[in-house]
Amino acid sequence: MKSAYERSRWWEPRRLSSGLWAFMAHRLSGIALVAYLFLHLAVLSQLWGGPARWDAFVALARSPLLLALDVLLLATVLFHGLNGLRLTLLGLGYGLRWQKLLFWVALILTLGLAGWGAVAMLGR
Amino acid sequence: MSHTVTLHIRRTHGWADYVVTVADDAYVLDALEAAGRQDPTLLFRHSCHHASCGSCGLRVNGRERLACSTRIDEVWRPGRKLRLEPLRNLPLLGDLLVDLGPVAARIETVGLPLIRAVEPEVVHGRIAPCPSPGEGGGEGSSIALASPVNQGGEPAPTCPPVKAEPGATYPSRPANLIRFESCIECGLCISACPVAGSDARYWGPAALAAAARVAAEPRGRDVGAALEQVDGEDGLWRCHGVFECSEVCPSHVDPAGAIMGLRRLRLGGHGR
């Protein structure tokens, strides 16, 4: 008697293996960036409302909350891009022995550059 | 000294607890066998007890492991339950028992010579030419690993079923000796792979590593045909580089590394 398969789930952080964390974070950041793209297009459509409407949005965008969200966006873009480079290298058969190290390098660079961006944006 | 352990087992129709007492150096399989003596209807599989047969794979506290080579004190703390579940991404037969047939079938399709009946003679790092046409049979050279005996008690013929290619190189460094031949077909890699969970047509880490093995040591196999089979959207290119298969592999086969290596081969035009 065969019953249905039980399938593994990609969003399941079963343990602290860096490859799985990288995979989950890459997917989540990719989904977030696609969602942001649509949000970005929606925001740009404010231009149809004329200069006054756009200026009002720009004022809102300079609020600390939205600047903090910008920092989060920057971190998302950085991680997705840097981990994408890691995956490209691995997918071509390069650096396989250092796949865990490459994940940590991508993460540290993400945090470092996002931190630098946070200081630049919020420290004004 | 002994441990009294509560096994929290996912059975076909729900969870069940079994309290068993095992030696303090016992393995998960020892505890399972104790539970099986309490309840003979509990389904699980085992054979060799020393991580060679690959039949006792399951999930211990969520992680794929072989029950026979996982010590209780590695995965259990007093006062807690030890959670045991069947492997995933494979047909469930009942309780902790899954059908490993699909794993073996795909490995076989790739054309892996799973049964190493003979071992090529290696001289100075290269597979030697046939020393004696009468013994080795043909152009390739091989010597018997042991003295195989047929069922009838007669010595098996020394003529190898798959001949080594004269001049083929062997891995020169110990690190290069990690190869698919160590695969015990336990299915842990399939269960741990999140991609296998989302695409039932995916060849899976074990079969793709088998293809890498064929590419690395063809031993008379058609490398192009083996690679052609796995070069597709449900094969090499479906892998997302999660490396969970390599994390859980009890034989250190490194299927993820094998898959990435195969991609590099294909991109370089190998086997076309």
Side-chain angles (χ1 to χ4, degrees):
Chain A
M1 180 190 71
K2 287 183 181 179
S3 57
Y5 289 38
E6 189 199 347
R7 298 203 179 282
S8 53
R9 296 175 286 272
W10 67 265
W11 61 86
E12 183 183 51
R14 303 180 304 162
R15 49 188 168 270
L16 294 172
S17 85
S18 56
L20 187 63
W21 284 111
F23 174 65
M24 289 193 300
H26 197 77
R27 284 206 155 183
L28 290 172
S29 58
I31 292 168
L33 289 176
V34 169
Y36 170 75
L37 178 65
F38 285 100
L39 181 67
H40 184 63
L41 292 173
V43 165
L44 285 181
S45 71
Q46 299 288 312
L47 285 167
W48 290 104
R53 195 166 177 182
W54 181 250
D55 288 346
F57 168 74
V58 169
L60 179 68
R62 286 178 175 164
S63 68
L65 176 65
L66 285 193
L67 285 176
L69 288 175
D70 269 348
V71 172
L72 191 62
L73 174 67
L74 175 64
T76 306
V77 169
L78 282 168
F79 178 78
H80 198 80
L82 290 168
N83 192 54
L85 286 175
R86 167 183 168 270
L87 287 174
T88 303
L89 282 175
L90 296 175
L92 294 173
Y94 296 104
L96 294 172
R97 289 184 190 174
W98 302 289
Q99 66 93 3
K100 291 183 181 180
L101 177 65
L102 287 172
F103 165 69
W104 289 110
V105 168
L107 193 62
I108 288 167
L109 279 175
T110 296
L111 294 175
L113 291 170
W116 178 74
V119 170
M121 284 194 274
L122 297 171
R124 286 180 184 174
Chain B
M1 289 289 290
S2 61
H3 292 313
T4 299
V5 184
T6 301
L7 302 181
H8 189 53
I9 299 179
R10 184 171 179 175
R11 301 199 61 179
T12 308
H13 300 295
W15 292 89
D17 286 356
Y18 297 87
V19 180
V20 298
T21 300
V22 291
D24 60 355
D25 59 352
Y27 289 79
V28 172
L29 183 53
D30 297 320
L32 256 180
E33 287 182 309
R37 284 191 289 274
Q38 288 178 22
D39 181 357
T41 68
L42 180 63
L43 286 173
F44 62 98
R45 179 173 48 217
H46 70 86
S47 183
C48 73
H49 279 255
H50 60 265
S52 282
C53 68
S55 61
C56 63
L58 42 72
R59 285 186 294 144
V60 180
N61 290 337
R63 178 175 183 141
E64 286 76 11
R65 292 176 181 273
L66 293 180
C68 69
S69 60
T70 303
R71 277 180 62 132
I72 293 275
D73 53 13
E74 273 178 46
V75 291
W76 171 80
R77 294 287 171 270
R80 294 192 174 184
K81 293 179 179 179
L82 186 61
R83 186 160 48 93
L84 303 179
E85 297 168 88
L87 296 180
R88 298 191 289 196
N89 305 327
L90 290 164
L92 183 65
L93 298 172
D95 296 344
L96 299 174
L97 194 62
V98 295
D99 182 5
L100 290 173
V103 183
R106 281 195 164 151
I107 289 175
E108 205 169 309
T109 306
V110 172
L112 180 81
L114 277 174
I115 301 167
R116 184 158 51 160
V118 290
E119 178 76 351
E121 185 179 9
V122 180
V123 179
H124 302 305
R126 288 183 172 272
I127 296 171
C130 182
S132 164
E135 291 176 13
E139 295 171 357
S141 168
S142 296
I143 56 173
L145 255 187
S147 298
V149 174
N150 285 337
Q151 286 185 340
E154 303 161 1
T158 55
C159 179
V162 178
K163 298 182 184 67
E165 295 168 352
T169 53
Y170 247 28
S172 56
R173 292 185 298 173
N176 295 342
L177 291 171
I178 297 170
R179 56 184 187 174
F180 182 76
E181 208 134 15
S182 303
C183 177
I184 55 174
E185 300 175 58
C186 58
L188 301 196
C189 58
I190 310 280
S191 176
C193 175
V195 181
S198 61
D199 180 6
R201 292 169 304 175
Y202 177 47
W203 278 75
L208 294 174
R213 158 68 174 76
V214 172
E217 295 179 49
R219 300 193 183 194
R221 303 281 164 171
D222 184 348
V223 177
L227 296 191
E228 198 65 42
Q229 280 182 309
V230 297
D231 186 5
E233 62 180 32
D234 296 320
L236 287 181
W237 309 101
R238 176 65 76 215
C239 173
H240 286 252
V242 186
F243 287 84
E244 280 294 282
C245 51
S246 296
E247 289 283 335
V248 301
C249 179
S251 302
H252 309 292
V253 166
D254 189 17
I259 294 167
M260 300 306 172
L262 269 187
R263 285 182 176 179
R264 190 174 173 181
L265 282 179
R266 282 308 259 180
L267 289 173
H270 191 79
R272 293 185 194 276

